[in-house]
Amino acid sequence: MSEYDELYLVKNPFFLGSFKKAIKEQESIVLEDTDFEGLEKKTFYLVRAHLALAEYEKAEAALKKHIETVKCKKEEMVKFEKLVQFFIEFAKTGKYDEDFMRDKFEQLQQDPEYRANSRNLPLLVLICYILYSIKEYDCIIPLIYDLKDIDMYGIKFITYWQMKRYDYMQKTYEEIKEFSEDASLTQLIQCFLMLCTGNLQDLTNLLKDTMLRYDKSIKLYNLIGMARMARGQAGAAVKMYSKAVDEFKLKDASKFVGNTDVTDFIYNYLLALKWAEPADSPQIAEVSALLDALEDTDQSGAVQEFEAKFDEACKKVFG
């Protein structure tokens, strides 16, 4: 990485899914009053962390505080406020202004300087999130293929994942490793790449090392469970999922509605149980009820991508 990233301590837990830690870390980061771009990015990560936890009021409060305390040009503030409000509304409802979306997409597509302006990173993230949600994967890559930013590498990787372009996933991993080898997202992408390509032998150890190096998170525990299921070790996956449910206090589903990491985790926990336990197991009923309480959240690509692979792997073991 060519220069020090003042938001490094926020980004590491953020990309691992440790959103509460990311929120706490940003409190200790003090930027210059004139660093408007840095202040916008700091607020943007804070808002996104709250949105990931379905804390919509806190996300709006973070934006309001930014507006009240940052003294940049009025037109820049209005632009940032509108964009973040747009992002919050999209996270809450899944709806967006199609005219705004179309205009910004065309501007980013047709104006290379506008697209490359780091001040427009939040806009790019938003546009890519929307395109990803409506499965317009082919539209994402031309917007970000040459941008050197941690967010862009992450988006590019999961887009290639959905396109099943494992060759470009490998290339993206090599690019982000060169850009920031120590970033948690770099190690997370390596883990996903190993899982996608079936390189499972050392994956569990790498995931445990990632936890020790950065932080425990539901996302990492879920990946360990997925790796164990892919190797036909459904019983071991169940033990790990059960322990993590207690550790992260996931039984109160009302606190996690809107958190896709939790929904994916519980879905895979149920999948492991169905392969490892009898159909009338009380555990299956309990976890099914927990998943039902989270049913208004979407399953992410992780669940959909690997369910068939897990099914095939476990059938070989359990018949």
Side-chain angles (χ1 to χ4, degrees):
M1 206 167 173
S2 58
E3 58 184 25
Y4 175 69
D5 185 353
E6 292 175 302
L7 297 180
Y8 182 80
L9 294 177
V10 174
K11 293 177 181 180
N12 270 343
F14 178 87
F15 286 114
L16 289 178
S18 298
F19 301 114
K20 290 185 182 296
K21 184 171 182 180
I23 291 168
K24 186 174 181 180
E25 288 288 357
Q26 69 85 33
E27 294 174 356
S28 64
I29 295 174
V30 180
L31 303 177
E32 296 290 337
D33 293 342
T34 55
D35 183 6
F36 303 128
E37 181 178 339
L39 291 166
E40 285 181 356
K41 288 181 179 179
K42 180 183 175 184
T43 297
F44 192 53
Y45 274 105
L46 176 58
V47 167
R48 288 165 65 192
H50 283 307
L51 292 179
L53 296 170
E55 296 174 344
Y56 304 119
E57 291 183 359
K58 290 182 179 180
E60 291 169 348
L63 174 59
K64 182 179 179 182
K65 182 178 179 181
H66 178 93
I67 294 167
E68 292 174 347
T69 57
V70 176
K71 307 299 181 184
C72 67
K73 293 180 180 179
K74 184 178 179 179
E75 59 268 27
E76 292 294 337
M77 181 61 77
V78 170
K79 175 183 172 183
F80 182 70
E81 180 183 8
K82 181 178 179 180
L83 176 64
V84 177
Q85 285 286 12
F86 190 102
F87 205 117
I88 294 172
E89 187 62 24
F90 174 65
K92 287 172 66 175
T93 68
K95 299 177 181 179
Y96 56 91
D97 184 327
E98 292 186 11
D99 290 335
F100 176 86
M101 168 73 177
R102 189 181 303 107
D103 290 344
K104 292 301 181 183
F105 175 77
E106 289 177 356
Q107 188 174 6
L108 288 165
Q109 192 176 41
Q110 296 171 8
D111 188 343
E113 290 186 8
Y114 183 76
R115 184 174 65 84
N117 186 339
S118 59
R119 195 81 178 263
N120 289 323
L121 175 67
L123 174 62
L124 267 170
V125 171
L126 172 60
I127 297 298
C128 289
Y129 271 31
I130 294 173
L131 290 170
Y132 189 87
S133 73
I134 60 178
K135 301 183 180 181
E136 292 287 350
Y137 307 125
D138 290 336
C139 295
I140 295 175
I141 300 302
L143 292 180
I144 64 174
Y145 74 96
D146 59 345
L147 299 180
K148 298 183 184 299
D149 176 85
I150 199 82
D151 257 302
M152 297 300 103
Y153 287 123
I155 292 171
K156 188 160 56 170
F157 184 84
I158 61 172
T159 301
Y160 284 137
W161 176 11
Q162 292 293 351
M163 297 169 74
K164 296 181 172 59
R165 290 303 307 264
Y166 300 120
D167 51 344
Y168 283 108
M169 288 165 61
Q170 178 66 43
K171 183 179 178 181
T172 302
Y173 167 64
E174 293 167 0
E175 290 173 352
I176 192 175
K177 186 177 180 181
E178 181 179 353
F179 178 76
S180 183
E181 186 172 5
D182 291 334
S184 65
L185 182 59
T186 304
Q187 199 149 346
L188 188 62
I189 282 179
Q190 183 183 9
C191 293
F192 268 99
L193 189 62
M194 293 171 72
L195 185 56
C196 289
T197 56
N199 182 13
L200 305 173
Q201 185 171 356
D202 299 319
L203 177 56
T204 300
N205 289 335
L206 177 60
L207 285 164
K208 289 179 179 178
D209 177 68
T210 303
M211 283 189 179
L212 291 173
R213 187 175 182 183
Y214 301 105
D215 191 25
K216 293 181 180 180
S217 75
I218 294 168
K219 188 188 295 289
L220 289 176
Y221 271 123
N222 196 20
L223 278 168
I224 292 174
M226 292 163 75
R228 287 177 177 175
M229 284 194 285
R231 298 182 70 178
Q233 299 170 349
V238 166
K239 290 180 181 179
M240 188 279 305
Y241 280 121
S242 178
K243 179 182 176 182
V245 164
D246 293 334
E247 182 174 347
F248 288 97
K249 299 179 174 60
L250 301 183
K251 290 185 178 180
D252 184 359
S254 63
K255 295 181 180 179
F256 301 100
V257 172
N259 188 324
T260 55
D261 283 343
V262 174
T263 305
D264 290 348
F265 179 93
I266 297 301
Y267 183 88
N268 281 335
Y269 182 16
L270 181 60
L271 199 61
L273 280 168
K274 287 182 176 179
W275 287 332
E277 300 290 331
D280 59 353
S281 166
Q283 259 188 300
I284 291 179
E286 181 182 354
V287 176
S288 293
L290 184 56
L291 183 62
D292 287 343
L294 298 165
E295 64 183 356
D296 59 346
T297 60
D298 294 328
Q299 294 171 20
S300 77
V303 173
Q304 298 165 0
E305 175 76 15
F306 294 108
E307 182 177 355
K309 291 184 180 180
F310 292 153
D311 192 34
E312 181 181 351
C314 289
K315 279 181 179 177
K316 291 179 181 177
V317 178
F318 302 111

